[in-house]
Amino acid sequence: MNKHYHIYGIGAALVDTEITLTDADLTRMAVAKGVMTLVDEARQNTLMDYLSDHLVASHRASGGSAANTIIAASYFGCNNFYSCKVANDENGAFYLDDIQAAGVATPAHITPPAGITGKCLVMITPDAERTMNTFLGISETLSVNELDVGAVAKSHYVYIEGYLVSSTTGRAAAIELRKQAEANHTKTALSLSDPAMVQFFYDGLVEMIGEGVDLIFCNRDEAIGFTKTHSLEEACIGLKKYCKQFAITCGADGALVFDGNELIQVAGAAATPVDTNGAGDMFAGAFLYAINQGKDFKTAAEFANIAAAKVVSQFGPRLKPEQYAELKEGFFN
């Protein structure tokens, strides 16, 4: 079949609000630092009230891990599709407008139902570490109903957000998407998303991976946690049981990628971190863009490191539209 889309993504639809604060603030609010924690709306509102004077002067953005990746790849030049679930509210309308402005297609058969669109409170400490408290809202009920099987068949890759493992219906949708991809000769990529997902939802992630996916994205902590090993070297061996290829981000140390034959260490790009939110998502988006252009894993990882370095040097998980073009022009030309 003719492949019309480069990447078909699935994940949460969250409207992000970014806040700067101190480690002492996190301690006072009893928030676990550096991970994503699911909270109810009341808890999120309590945090927002406490932090009302900490708001960063940045635009709210359509977020969600896989959405950040899909939007980045789209701005770099991929033709992408995204399945998510928003409510018929102001945030839901904003979300769909924002993602479509990035050139990303969404299922035409979906009419947003009544409810509350998911929201993510992104808290940035002075060391640039990001801590997230997420109220999934209607995103928690993302299901197979939001899939577009025809678009899956017409995609080169599907990209599955590991965070979906925390929702029963979301996990089922991820598994069905993988199966549809396998049946239609569409490659499968999955992100492990967060150390907390690996720690608390290991069995569900294994179920989502099934007999194995083509490509896994993760960071060093997720790789070691998921493979239940004690070093990055051991984790690289362990990951091969779950995928044909992988990309492990290592912060300032760059990335370690396996193209199916060779393990390649790629140095990090220089950056002065301000906000690490979205770094891994940007890496995956840039990497998927590059391999969809026929680039090898080393080149893709070098480009992805530069893109990730750029996004951590400013607030927010996204770049301005012109910044994507500048990065691509500067690297490939």
Side-chain angles (χ1 to χ4, degrees), residues 23 48 50 57 66 84 99 110 116-117 121 138 224 250 268 287 303:
D23 286 277
M48 287 292 288
Y50 177 88
C84 60
I99 198 166
I110 305 293
I116 301 170
T117 297
L121 178 58
I138 205 162
I224 292 170
C250 303
F287 191 92
F303 178 57

Side-chain angles (χ1 to χ4, degrees), residues 127-128 269-276 308-315:
D127 59 359
T272 303
V274 171
D275 171 9
T276 57
K310 185 71 174 176
V311 84
V312 302
S313 67
Q314 60 191 48
F315 282 108

Side-chain angles (χ1 to χ4, degrees), residues 131-300:
T131 298
M132 297 184 292
N133 272 208
T134 303
F135 167 59
L136 286 172
I138 205 162
S139 233
E140 193 169 7
T141 64
L142 175 70
S143 71
V144 292
N145 296 331
E146 279 70 52
L147 297 180
D148 186 318
V149 175
V152 176
K154 291 188 284 189
S155 299
H156 288 284
Y157 272 88
V158 296
Y159 180 76
I160 298 167
E161 177 185 300
Y163 284 124
L164 292 176
V165 72
S166 68
S167 157
T168 304
T169 57
R171 185 168 68 250
I175 292 166
E176 180 60 24
L177 178 57
R178 172 180 53 76
K179 289 177 177 176
Q180 290 292 340
E182 290 165 351
N184 286 284
H185 308 290
T186 296
K187 289 187 174 180
T188 51
L190 178 138
S191 161
L192 293 181
S193 291
D194 192 278
M197 295 297 104
V198 170
Q199 182 181 353
F200 298 115
F201 296 98
Y202 171 81
D203 290 342
L205 284 169
V206 169
E207 190 184 359
M208 278 165 57
I209 290 166
E211 296 296 307
V213 293
D214 289 295
L215 175 59
I216 283 179
F217 289 93
C218 56
N219 64 25
R220 182 196 279 116
D221 291 345
E222 292 154 6
I224 292 170
F226 185 69
T227 55
K228 303 183 188 299
T229 54
H230 301 285
S231 70
L232 193 54
E233 292 72 25
E234 291 174 321
C236 287
I237 296 167
L239 277 176
K240 292 174 185 176
K241 189 169 82 171
Y242 301 99
C243 58
K244 296 173 185 171
Q245 303 168 318
F246 58 75
I248 305 173
T249 56
C250 303
D253 294 330
L256 199 56
V257 296
F258 178 64
D259 64 5
N261 296 305
E262 187 184 2
L263 190 63
I264 307 157
Q265 176 77 52
V266 181
T272 303
V274 171
D275 171 9
T276 57
N277 181 34
D281 303 336
M282 178 62 74
F283 180 96
F287 191 92
L288 285 168
Y289 162 74
I291 60 174
N292 269 290
Q293 299 305 305
K295 308 300 181 186
D296 60 35
F297 268 43
K298 181 175 184 291
T299 304

